[in-house]
Amino acid sequence: MNDALQEIHDFLPCRTPQQWIDNALANQDLMLIDHAHCEKKAASTALSLMYRYVDNTDLLNKMSRLAREELRHFEQVLAIMKKRGVQYDHLTPARYAAGLRQEVRSEDPGRLVDVLIVGAIIEARSCERFAALAPHLDDKLTDFYNSLLKSEARHYQDYLKLAEQANGGPVTDRVQTFLAIEHGLIIEPDTEFRFHSGPVH
């Protein structure tokens, strides 16, 4: 797993700021609620790709598996929340995903390439944050977050491979464009704490 995590650290433009980790530890109920939302949204994204690109067999297989795994994670987060008496509730989304999606092209194949790159970046950041948080949490959450690292790392790789396939070659330039946006969203101060927010001062 260390190799996969190292690959993700090499891929992402920056590490999660310490201030965000402090925010997360001070807002663990909110972190869990938003984490549940993120898993549900990840499954929804995978399903919407399956509906839109019905002739892409590789994408259909990978997204079907990914959606199942994300929904399983969603159920696991809900179970942890229930044990802790944390109510699953509606939250306004972080600016993160919307900020990345602003750059997505409107016409295919560019649109598909970009959506897949955004998916890869979100999965990579989730993996990096689980790893950053795990040492600071109670045993139950530490075990849970460590257990998610492997699948999130694979999801990141799946998205990136599918993006290269859709592009018919490397996607380095587009990846760099999106990573530059991601860097700002992770480093710049945010107004509300979320799983993918910037630091809240």
Side-chain angles (χ1 to χ4, degrees):
M1 186 56 229
N2 285 348
D3 289 351
L5 195 55
Q6 187 57 53
E7 189 187 325
I8 277 168
H9 284 150
D10 293 344
F11 171 74
L12 290 170
C14 61
R15 297 283 186 102
T16 288
Q18 182 60 45
Q19 178 65 50
W20 181 88
I21 295 169
D22 295 343
N23 296 151
L25 298 176
N27 294 281
Q28 291 191 35
D29 290 2
L30 185 55
M31 177 185 78
L32 287 169
I33 296 166
D34 199 46
H35 178 185
H37 279 290
C38 290
E39 298 291 1
K40 193 169 66 169
K41 276 182 257 177
S44 169
T45 298
L47 288 170
S48 68
L49 284 167
M50 289 173 72
Y51 278 105
R52 190 176 177 108
Y53 301 101
V54 292
D55 54 348
N56 187 330
T57 312
D58 206 15
L59 179 142
L60 290 174
N61 280 314
K62 285 200 166 88
M63 291 300 107
S64 176
R65 180 181 179 183
L66 188 144
R68 284 201 311 277
E69 289 181 341
E70 302 290 21
L71 285 173
R72 176 76 190 117
H73 298 161
F74 173 69
E75 291 163 16
Q76 288 174 300
V77 182
L78 284 188
I80 288 170
M81 286 165 58
K82 190 176 177 186
K83 276 188 182 156
R84 292 168 188 236
V86 180
Q87 184 70 36
Y88 182 57
D89 213 347
H90 182 74
L91 285 180
T92 54
R95 62 182 182 179
Y96 181 79
L100 287 171
R101 289 200 182 105
Q102 277 179 344
E103 184 59 34
V104 171
R105 289 168 285 186
S106 55
E107 300 293 320
D108 277 322
R111 181 186 184 280
L112 175 58
V113 172
D114 289 353
V115 167
L116 292 166
I117 289 170
V118 168
I121 292 171
I122 293 173
E123 295 288 341
R125 180 59 67 186
S126 299
C127 186
E128 186 266 348
R129 291 207 151 166
F130 290 140
L133 283 167
H136 307 288
L137 299 167
D138 59 73
D139 290 351
K140 175 73 181 164
L141 272 184
T142 294
D143 289 348
F144 177 50
Y145 278 11
N146 279 331
S147 77
L148 296 178
L149 293 177
K150 204 171 184 179
S151 55
E152 301 298 314
R154 191 182 64 256
H155 295 168
Y156 142 74
Q157 289 165 339
D158 284 348
Y159 269 124
L160 218 46
K161 280 178 200 144
L162 287 168
E164 287 171 353
Q165 214 174 309
N167 197 48
V171 287
T172 318
D173 290 351
R174 287 306 285 167
V175 167
Q176 290 311 315
T177 298
F178 282 101
L179 286 176
I181 297 166
E182 207 257 359
H183 184 263
L185 293 166
I186 291 299
I187 293 295
E188 288 159 19
D190 225 323
T191 52
E192 289 180 301
F193 170 78
R194 293 289 185 269
F195 194 82
H196 289 104
S197 68
V200 180
H201 292 288

